[in-house]
Amino acid sequence: MRLKEVLEEALRLAKPPPREEEELKETVNLLLRETRAEAEKTEGAVNVSLEGSAAKGTWVKGRAEADIFIHFEPTVPKERMEREIVELGFRVLERLKGRPRLMYADHPYVEGRVGEVTVNIVACYRVEPPGWLSATDRTPYHTRYVLERLGAEQRDQVRLLKAFMLGCGVYGAEIKVRGFSGYLAELLILHYGSFPGLVEAASKWKPPIILDLEGHYRSAREAAEAFPGQPLVVIDPVDRARNVAAAVAEERLAEFILASKLFLRSPSLRFFGAGPKPRRPSLTQLARGRNILAVSFRTGVKKPPDVLWGELRRSGEGVKRALERLGFQVYRSGAWTDEEKECLLVYELAYLRLPPTRLHRGPPAHHPNALQFIEKWVRSRERAAGPWVEGMRLYVLRREGMTDAVKLLKREVLEGRVALARGLIDEIKQAKITTQVTRLARNRRLQRYLREFLSARPTYL
Amino acid sequence: MRLKEVLEEALRLAKPPPREEEELKETVNLLLRETRAEAEKTEGAVNVSLEGSAAKGTWVKGRAEADIFIHFEPTVPKERMEREIVELGFRVLERLKGRPRLMYADHPYVEGRVGEVTVNIVACYRVEPPGWLSATDRTPYHTRYVLERLGAEQRDQVRLLKAFMLGCGVYGAEIKVRGFSGYLAELLILHYGSFPGLVEAASKWKPPIILDLEGHYRSAREAAEAFPGQPLVVIDPVDRARNVAAAVAEERLAEFILASKLFLRSPSLRFFGAGPKPRRPSLTQLARGRNILAVSFRTGVKKPPDVLWGELRRSGEGVKRALERLGFQVYRSGAWTDEEKECLLVYELAYLRLPPTRLHRGPPAHHPNALQFIEKWVRSRERAAGPWVEGMRLYVLRREGMTDAVKLLKREVLEGRVALARGLIDEIKQAKITTQVTRLARNRRLQRYLREFLSARPTYL
């Protein structure tokens, strides 16, 4: 297909039909009415507003979301505001049968679902820039900034971009993804004018990329110096001290650059997650002859996804470092959760066993400790060979007692030598550690994740 | 045992009894007479002399050696001198039933055995220092230098030192050992006065060690600068431009330092290769659970030991580099030959198989070659997983076709990708490559070597 056709079809898939727009509008009105009634009873709550993609008309078909913000006086202490928003959010959503649940990003908020619409009820302070008191205070200014600048045409370009980012797995600022937020997508369209314009530019990006839409800094260089080491810097138009892309992992940026190149070379609906899916080999086929180690466990307490994903990533990093410290080469690692109960940390290793012996380097022969080293090792039961001299240095070959990755990792975990997130220590101590990943696929989603992990290749390729 | 007792007993073992001295003297006289008769018939041969340990009275009991030097006029071309010495040496030794054989160090000479005495018939030029024309021209000056300075007491100290160096495996300048020559041992005794004095000093050596007996240089520093990177520098008293210890491998120096420390801490006849031998585990016990790879072959042509050992070491180094290039971690390596026919290169590896997959690093996602990398690998049958992004970079996991060390090395050798000494290429192409070293021990000496290699530990420990 040619680029134009692909874009037309992709937009048809991404743009909500009038009925979806209608339904969202009705749900939003209902929510605003109910929330305002509750806010009036709440001391210090001074306003209720709609923010986010619903306010800006930039949501993607089938992903309608209403962000309802309650603005508090700056005099309200944070603890009280947080308590109020949780109670208020639960009351409103329960009344609308919205199955409320507590969420947490930098701050607590309440999520629910009314009809086809995902609802977030969020608190912020009514402040003037740059007097921010909480992480959400900028949002109303973001909404206003985008609304004032984004034309109807460009709203569709934002939808195309979001659908593309979703299709390529780089959309979403949540910890699970560490990708591009909706606001960042809107700023990119504002800056480059259109989706093809952005993709064209991104295909040539060489990080660091610096965008300063409002010219808050005198030069890109000055802006870059304000955010050292960050591969993508998009200065927030409403706050010169903030990088809107701060949460974008360098992997997601690189994947976006790569997807842009590949898309331009051969445009396809696959980049938008549409069209025929490539057939993937079975889990058994994928795992054949490879050395996979998985840590599978269940969470005891239910927690907000961002919290759970954060704990999973930190624990995953800790297990990876432990494996490396034990002497295993870790090629790749992954983490997965159904966000309810099931959790998985998964690793691909060069070997599942350590070598039977290991080289142990001693001091040089002329070093004062040389005799001590020799005396220690000559008597040691762990010695397989040596001590001998190579170069000027002493060596011995040590026999490994335990060489099995599963047993070694189990011991490290049980003895508390693995840096795990505190919230998962007990669960991981009881985890099943196995190299038989095909037997782990208890449910479809886990199976799908394992196939993704093992093929390690974007769907659009 | 206390130091004094050990030294007394060691000297008893190292000092030849009067009868051995007598026999050597008679053999030397016989040799000198026969060689002089031959030399008189040789144009350009102007003198015959006895050099080496027999001349200086420093040989170790049971190791009597007569170095007969024929001095040529400097006008005799080298090629002719070399031809003459070989022919002359063969004639003399055949007449004395000395089983002559051609040897080669830097120059050809003839070795044989008359009674209990090893005989070397060597050519040199009659020159004045420093007008050296060949590598052997300094020898008569070495003999004179030592004879003029070494007292009867000190001759015994040299014998003690040589016996100690023999016991610790560091004696001999030949390529097999790359250790201390007899002349070097004599200079060390001259410098330190006695064997205990030397051992005391050596136990505290920290390389580089600089000895300049005749003060040819203004300072140790100036001498060190003349021989950069050499761990042991002993300026030749008869030639300031030569380091007598140039052939000493740093391993031998380190082992000598170490043996000195250990000997002083607990003196024992074991350091002189005497006393009860420690019991060593069997070959099967030593090899259990270890990853050993051996290249076993026979030499086609008989060659002088120094030539064969040189070829073995170079080929061994080449095989080691090939194994490392293939991806194997080589802990240790060894080489052995009976100097007749049987040869062995042996390696201890971390694993005998490569991992089933290997990480293959691509360019960064933003690099112009990124698409090329992706297109190549997406189609490749070698791909196990990927391409994926980590950091900003592309990776794939490649499936290894062949993982077995023996098969991989065989292929490398047959396809000429291993840097082997030219004289052994054909032999090594037909070598038996095996991981079953216990089955290799066809003869006792090979078995002994393999046990030494596997225990990798000096006998005096």
Side-chain angles (χ1 to χ4, degrees):
Chain A
M1 261 204 279
R2 280 163 49 212
L3 181 60
K4 196 163 161 271
E5 294 168 70
V6 170
L7 293 178
E8 279 170 12
E9 182 59 21
L11 185 57
R12 241 191 310 280
L13 296 167
K15 189 171 179 166
R19 219 182 58 186
E20 187 175 321
E21 295 209 40
E22 236 5 85
E23 277 177 20
L24 174 58
K25 200 184 259 176
E26 278 169 30
T27 306
V28 162
N29 286 337
L30 179 65
L31 281 161
L32 286 174
R33 206 182 317 132
E34 292 289 333
T35 312
R36 281 193 180 117
E38 286 292 337
E40 272 163 23
K41 294 182 252 167
T42 306
E43 208 192 307
V46 288
N47 191 18
V48 172
S49 66
L50 174 69
E51 309 293 339
S53 60
K56 294 175 279 190
T58 55
W59 79 96
V60 173
K61 180 167 152 185
R63 301 177 62 94
E65 219 169 319
D67 298 337
I68 306 294
F69 273 58
I70 296 150
H71 304 237
F72 285 82
E73 286 288 6
T75 50
V76 176
K78 205 162 197 173
E79 297 72 36
R80 183 160 83 75
M81 180 175 86
E82 290 182 348
R83 201 179 61 241
E84 299 275 16
I85 195 69
V86 171
E87 289 172 11
L88 191 156
F90 268 81
R91 280 200 302 278
V92 169
L93 282 166
E94 268 164 4
R95 200 170 312 135
L96 300 177
K97 304 207 169 10
R99 281 163 294 143
R101 56 174 186 156
L102 179 65
M103 302 294 277
Y104 195 92
D106 305 303
H107 51 90
Y109 64 102
V110 181
E111 190 194 85
R113 199 161 170 88
V114 175
E116 296 296 301
V117 181
T118 300
V119 179
N120 299 304
I121 297 183
V122 184
C124 70
Y125 283 111
R126 190 192 56 183
V127 291
E128 297 289 319
W132 320 113
L133 293 174
S134 81
T136 48
D137 300 352
R138 293 178 195 84
T139 305
Y141 292 93
H142 292 163
T143 308
R144 193 186 304 165
Y145 181 84
V146 172
L147 263 179
E148 283 170 2
R149 283 159 184 83
L150 202 71
E153 265 289 300
Q154 282 185 317
R155 285 205 285 276
D156 285 348
Q157 297 297 302
V158 170
R159 284 172 161 137
L160 267 181
L161 174 57
K162 286 182 175 180
F164 180 84
M165 287 176 158
L166 278 163
C168 299
V170 303
Y171 185 69
E174 64 268 29
I175 290 176
K176 176 186 178 179
V177 181
R178 292 188 295 178
F180 295 72
S181 68
Y183 178 50
L184 179 53
E186 289 154 358
L187 293 182
L188 288 172
I189 291 299
L190 279 177
H191 187 264
Y192 288 100
S194 69
F195 173 69
L198 164 62
V199 166
E200 184 70 51
S203 73
K204 296 187 188 90
W205 275 353
K206 189 182 164 194
I209 312 301
I210 317 290
L211 305 180
D212 183 7
L213 282 76
E214 289 301 311
H216 283 314
Y217 293 83
R218 266 174 302 182
S219 66
R221 195 177 150 174
E222 196 185 284
E225 277 165 6
F227 299 93
Q230 304 199 15
L232 177 60
V233 176
V234 180
I235 304 299
D236 193 341
V238 313
D239 182 355
R240 76 190 296 277
R242 183 171 172 264
N243 173 16
V244 180
V248 179
E250 52 180 2
E251 282 84 359
R252 295 304 89 71
L253 173 60
E255 284 161 5
F256 179 64
I257 294 173
L258 213 54
S260 298
K261 289 186 197 220
L262 288 159
F263 177 71
L264 288 179
R265 171 169 296 203
S266 97
S268 151
L269 286 173
R270 273 180 294 127
F271 292 88
F272 298 90
K277 294 268 181 298
R279 246 175 295 158
R280 285 277 157 90
S282 73
L283 195 53
T284 317
Q285 281 174 304
L286 282 164
R288 188 168 296 146
R290 289 164 67 180
N291 293 326
I292 310 291
L293 181 142
V295 180
S296 157
F297 58 97
R298 293 179 171 209
T299 49
V301 198
K302 198 158 151 37
K303 20 195 150 182
D306 256 19
V307 173
L308 181 54
W309 277 105
E311 291 178 347
L312 262 187
R313 288 218 194 285
R314 288 201 305 284
S315 303
E317 218 11 76
V319 169
K320 183 178 177 225
R321 283 199 307 272
L323 286 167
E324 287 172 342
R325 192 180 61 234
L326 287 165
F328 295 96
Q329 192 191 346
V330 180
Y331 287 152
R332 314 164 42 230
S333 61
W336 175 86
T337 174
D338 61 5
E339 301 188 357
E340 301 280 328
K341 215 172 355 190
E342 302 286 344
C343 295
L344 187 82
L345 302 173
V346 58
Y347 302 88
E348 181 146 19
L349 309 179
Y351 293 100
L352 291 172
R353 287 189 159 278
L354 294 179
T357 57
R358 281 218 262 182
L359 201 61
H360 188 75
R361 206 172 91 132
H366 53 77
H367 192 275
N369 290 345
L371 286 195
Q372 210 178 317
F373 178 85
I374 288 176
E375 276 158 16
K376 177 190 158 190
W377 281 101
V378 162
R379 282 196 227 101
S380 168
R381 292 179 149 263
E382 287 181 42
R383 180 174 56 87
W388 73 90
V389 172
E390 199 172 309
M392 294 292 283
R393 205 172 265 282
L394 284 162
Y395 289 87
V396 292
L397 211 56
R398 211 180 64 202
R399 225 175 257 285
E400 288 287 339
M402 211 186 259
T403 58
D404 181 70
V406 170
K407 285 183 191 156
L408 282 163
L409 180 59
K410 250 179 199 153
R411 192 180 63 187
E412 293 296 289
V413 167
L414 289 177
E415 293 180 2
R417 281 197 296 272
V418 183
L420 301 171
R422 200 174 297 171
L424 294 179
I425 291 178
D426 292 340
E427 284 91 334
I428 295 181
K429 280 195 173 171
Q430 291 170 46
K432 176 178 178 168
I433 304 182
T434 178
T435 59
Q436 304 297 313
V437 280
T438 52
R439 297 201 195 146
L440 275 180
R442 276 187 295 270
N443 66 49
R444 286 218 156 178
R445 289 171 64 193
L446 176 53
Q447 192 173 60
R448 197 189 318 136
Y449 171 72
L450 279 171
R451 287 168 74 182
E452 267 170 35
F453 176 78
L454 287 174
S455 68
R457 175 190 171 191
T459 46
Y460 53 80
L461 268 186
Chain B
M1 260 204 280
R2 280 166 50 215
L3 182 60
K4 194 162 161 272
E5 295 168 69
V6 170
L7 291 179
E8 279 170 12
E9 181 60 20
L11 184 59
R12 240 191 310 280
L13 296 166
K15 189 171 180 165
R19 216 180 59 183
E20 187 176 320
E21 294 207 42
E22 232 12 79
E23 276 177 18
L24 175 57
K25 201 184 259 178
E26 278 170 31
T27 306
V28 163
N29 287 337
L30 180 64
L31 280 162
L32 286 174
R33 206 181 320 131
E34 293 290 332
T35 311
R36 280 192 182 119
E38 285 292 335
E40 271 162 25
K41 294 182 252 166
T42 305
E43 208 190 308
V46 287
N47 191 19
V48 172
S49 67
L50 174 69
E51 310 292 339
S53 60
K56 296 175 277 191
T58 55
W59 79 96
V60 173
K61 178 167 154 186
R63 302 177 61 95
E65 220 170 318
D67 298 337
I68 307 293
F69 273 58
I70 297 150
H71 304 236
F72 285 81
E73 287 288 6
T75 49
V76 177
K78 203 162 200 171
E79 297 72 37
R80 183 161 84 76
M81 179 176 86
E82 291 181 349
R83 202 180 60 239
E84 299 274 17
I85 195 68
V86 171
E87 289 173 11
L88 190 156
F90 269 82
R91 279 201 302 276
V92 169
L93 283 166
E94 268 163 6
R95 199 169 313 136
L96 301 176
K97 303 206 169 16
R99 282 163 295 144
R101 57 174 186 156
L102 179 64
M103 301 293 278
Y104 196 91
D106 306 304
H107 51 92
Y109 64 101
V110 181
E111 190 194 85
R113 198 159 170 89
V114 175
E116 297 295 302
V117 182
T118 300
V119 179
N120 300 304
I121 298 185
V122 184
C124 69
Y125 282 113
R126 188 192 57 181
V127 291
E128 297 289 319
W132 320 113
L133 292 175
S134 81
T136 48
D137 300 351
R138 294 178 194 84
T139 305
Y141 292 94
H142 292 163
T143 307
R144 192 186 307 165
Y145 181 85
V146 172
L147 264 178
E148 283 169 1
R149 285 159 182 81
L150 203 71
E153 265 288 301
Q154 282 186 316
R155 285 206 284 275
D156 285 349
Q157 297 296 302
V158 171
R159 286 175 160 133
L160 266 182
L161 174 57
K162 286 182 176 179
F164 180 84
M165 287 176 159
L166 279 163
C168 299
V170 303
Y171 185 68
E174 63 268 29
I175 291 178
K176 176 185 177 180
V177 181
R178 291 187 295 177
F180 296 72
S181 68
Y183 179 48
L184 179 52
E186 287 154 1
L187 293 182
L188 288 172
I189 291 299
L190 279 177
H191 187 264
Y192 289 100
S194 69
F195 172 71
L198 164 61
V199 165
E200 186 69 52
S203 72
K204 296 187 188 92
W205 275 353
K206 190 182 164 193
I209 311 301
I210 317 290
L211 305 180
D212 182 7
L213 282 76
E214 288 300 311
H216 282 313
Y217 293 84
R218 267 174 301 183
S219 65
R221 196 178 148 175
E222 196 185 285
E225 277 164 7
F227 300 92
Q230 303 198 19
L232 177 60
V233 177
V234 180
I235 305 297
D236 193 340
V238 311
D239 183 355
R240 75 190 297 274
R242 183 171 172 265
N243 173 15
V244 180
V248 178
E250 52 179 0
E251 282 84 359
R252 294 305 89 71
L253 173 59
E255 284 161 5
F256 179 64
I257 294 173
L258 212 55
S260 298
K261 290 187 196 218
L262 287 159
F263 177 71
L264 288 179
R265 171 166 298 201
S266 97
S268 152
L269 285 174
R270 276 180 291 125
F271 292 88
F272 298 90
K277 293 270 180 297
R279 245 176 297 158
R280 284 278 157 90
S282 73
L283 195 52
T284 316
Q285 281 174 305
L286 282 165
R288 188 169 294 148
R290 289 164 70 179
N291 293 325
I292 310 290
L293 182 140
V295 180
S296 158
F297 58 97
R298 292 180 172 210
T299 48
V301 197
K302 197 156 154 43
K303 20 193 151 184
D306 256 18
V307 173
L308 181 55
W309 278 105
E311 291 178 346
L312 261 188
R313 288 218 194 283
R314 287 201 306 284
S315 304
E317 213 20 68
V319 169
K320 183 176 178 228
R321 282 200 309 271
L323 286 168
E324 288 172 342
R325 194 179 60 235
L326 288 165
F328 294 97
Q329 192 190 344
V330 180
Y331 288 152
R332 314 165 43 231
S333 60
W336 174 85
T337 174
D338 61 5
E339 300 187 358
E340 300 281 328
K341 218 177 347 196
E342 302 285 344
C343 296
L344 187 81
L345 302 173
V346 58
Y347 302 88
E348 180 147 21
L349 309 179
Y351 292 101
L352 291 172
R353 287 189 158 277
L354 295 178
T357 57
R358 281 220 261 182
L359 203 59
H360 186 75
R361 207 172 90 130
H366 53 77
H367 192 275
N369 290 345
L371 287 195
Q372 212 179 315
F373 178 85
I374 288 176
E375 275 157 16
K376 179 191 157 188
W377 280 102
V378 162
R379 280 195 229 103
S380 168
R381 291 177 150 264
E382 286 182 43
R383 180 173 56 86
W388 73 89
V389 172
E390 199 172 310
M392 295 291 282
R393 206 171 263 282
L394 285 162
Y395 290 86
V396 291
L397 211 56
R398 211 180 63 202
R399 224 174 259 286
E400 289 287 339
M402 211 186 257
T403 58
D404 182 68
V406 170
K407 286 184 189 154
L408 282 163
L409 179 60
K410 250 179 198 152
R411 192 180 62 186
E412 293 296 289
V413 167
L414 289 177
E415 293 180 2
R417 282 196 296 273
V418 183
L420 302 171
R422 200 173 297 170
L424 294 179
I425 291 179
D426 292 339
E427 285 89 336
I428 295 181
K429 280 195 174 171
Q430 291 170 45
K432 176 178 178 168
I433 305 182
T434 179
T435 58
Q436 304 296 312
V437 280
T438 51
R439 298 202 195 143
L440 274 180
R442 278 187 294 270
N443 67 51
R444 285 219 158 177
R445 290 171 62 195
L446 176 53
Q447 192 172 60
R448 198 191 316 137
Y449 171 72
L450 279 171
R451 286 169 77 182
E452 266 170 32
F453 176 79
L454 287 174
S455 68
R457 178 188 168 190
T459 45
Y460 53 80
L461 269 186

